[in-house]
Amino acid sequence: GEDVEQSLFLSVREGDSSVINCTYTDSSSTYLYWYKQEPGAGLQLLTYIFSNMDMKQDQRLTVLLNKKDKHLSLRIADTQTGDSAIYFCAEPTMDSNYQLIWGAGTKLIIKP
Amino acid sequence: DTEVTQTPKHLVMGMTNKKSLKCEQHMGHRAMYWYKQKAKKPPELMFVYSYEKLSINESVPSRFSPECPNSSLLNLHLHALQPEDSALYLCASSQDREASGANVLTFGAGSRLTVL
C-alpha cells in the first residue's frame, strides 16, 4: 500500500544544518510537500516540489528529490531555535489530490 | 486575508452534549477540510468539501456531522462524543486542485477538544 516514512526525531546544534529525510512509495506522485507544525499550532506549508525537479531552494530551505530511490529530503541551513517543530512530509494518494498520505513527522530538537 | 480562523480554540464537553466547531476563510478557496490530530501523530482526514458539496467522507462516525453553509464557512457538529474523540481538530482550505497542480493546504490553528 501507499506509505510515507520518516524518522521520529532529529537533534542538531544551533547554527548547524538539519537534514530531515522521507521515503515514499507512490512513484506517480506529481507533488511532494513539507509542512511544519510548531507546538500548539496548526500546520503550515514550508515548501513543495514538483516531481520533474531534483532540487528546489528557498532561502534557508533546500529540498532534494531522488525519484529513483523515492527519497525526499529537507535541509535547513543555519538552524535556529525558532526551527524547533515537527516536520511532516506528504504526498497525494493515487485516488485523489485532496487526500494526502502523511509521514509520522520528525521532531526537530535544537541544542544550544 | 491569508488565514483560516477556527473557533473555539478550546472546548470541553460531556458525552451527552451537542456542540459545534467553526471555521472561516476569505481567501476564495473552494475546497475545505476537517482533520483530526491526536498527540504526536500526523493529521487524519475526516471530510472534504469542494464547491460547498461533500466530496470525501473518510468513514467518520455519524456523531461528527459536517456542514458547509457557504464557500467561506465550514462547521463540524458534535453530538454524543466519546472520550477517545478528544483531539485537536484542524480545518484547512485550498484553491481546489482535484485534477492537477499543487494542492496547497492552509491550516487553521485548530480547536482542542476534550470529551469528559
Side-chain angles (χ1 to χ4, degrees):
Chain A
E2 299 163 295
D3 195 18
V4 174
E5 292 190 355
Q6 301 177 241
S7 52
L8 294 181
F9 297 96
L10 176 66
S11 179
V12 298
R13 292 206 176 279
E14 191 175 358
D16 287 352
S17 292
S18 306
V19 180
I20 302 171
N21 294 302
C22 173
T23 57
Y24 61 96
T25 55
D26 181 9
S27 58
S28 66
S29 291
T30 52
Y31 291 91
L32 293 142
Y33 303 88
W34 284 104
Y35 283 85
K36 174 184 179 181
Q37 186 173 30
E38 295 179 8
L43 286 80
Q44 63 180 98
L45 178 78
L46 270 182
T47 187
Y48 63 88
I49 187 166
F50 187 50
S51 58
N52 69 353
M53 299 170 67
D54 298 324
M55 184 179 87
K56 181 178 179 182
Q57 190 151 4
D58 183 3
Q59 299 182 350
R60 292 191 298 123
L61 303 178
T62 303
V63 178
L64 295 178
L65 177 60
N66 181 329
K67 285 195 73 174
K68 175 174 166 289
D69 295 338
K70 298 180 188 172
H71 183 266
L72 180 71
S73 68
L74 173 70
R75 177 176 179 268
I76 305 171
D78 187 24
T79 308
Q80 303 297 308
T81 54
D83 296 322
S84 294
I86 300 176
Y87 292 81
F88 293 97
C89 65
E91 64 166 345
T93 69
M94 289 168 58
D95 296 332
S96 170
N97 217 14
Y98 291 137
Q99 294 166 298
L100 292 174
I101 305 169
W102 296 84
T106 300
K107 184 170 183 177
L108 180 60
I109 300 162
I110 317 298
K111 296 180 287 189
Chain B
D1 187 352
T2 58
E3 286 188 346
V4 173
T5 304
Q6 289 188 243
T7 55
K9 291 195 183 327
H10 300 276
L11 178 63
V12 179
M13 60 187 291
M15 288 190 283
T16 58
N17 292 159
K18 282 186 183 181
K19 296 285 185 185
S20 297
L21 305 180
K22 298 186 182 302
C23 175
E24 190 168 0
Q25 58 88 16
H26 296 286
M27 294 176 281
H29 288 176
R30 300 316 298 265
M32 296 187 76
Y33 309 70
W34 280 116
Y35 280 88
K36 173 183 177 180
Q37 187 180 30
K38 294 285 235 180
K40 303 186 193 309
K41 297 290 186 185
E44 300 169 41
L45 184 63
M46 300 174 73
F47 303 104
V48 181
Y49 274 81
S50 173
Y51 290 85
E52 300 157 51
K53 298 238 182 311
L54 185 63
S55 175
I56 293 174
N57 176 343
E58 292 283 43
S59 303
V60 179
S62 60
R63 57 186 185 268
F64 294 92
S65 174
E67 179 197 18
C68 189
N70 60 54
S71 61
S72 299
L73 294 175
L74 185 66
N75 298 322
L76 186 63
H77 302 298
L78 313 171
H79 175 53
L81 294 194
Q82 304 295 310
E84 59 264 29
D85 296 322
S86 298
L88 182 67
Y89 288 84
L90 293 163
C91 175
S93 68
S94 71
Q95 284 186 325
D96 195 300
R97 291 281 187 265
E98 171 57 4
S100 64
N103 190 35
V104 173
L105 300 175
T106 301
F107 283 86
S111 293
R112 186 162 298 283
L113 174 67
T114 303
V115 182
L116 301 176

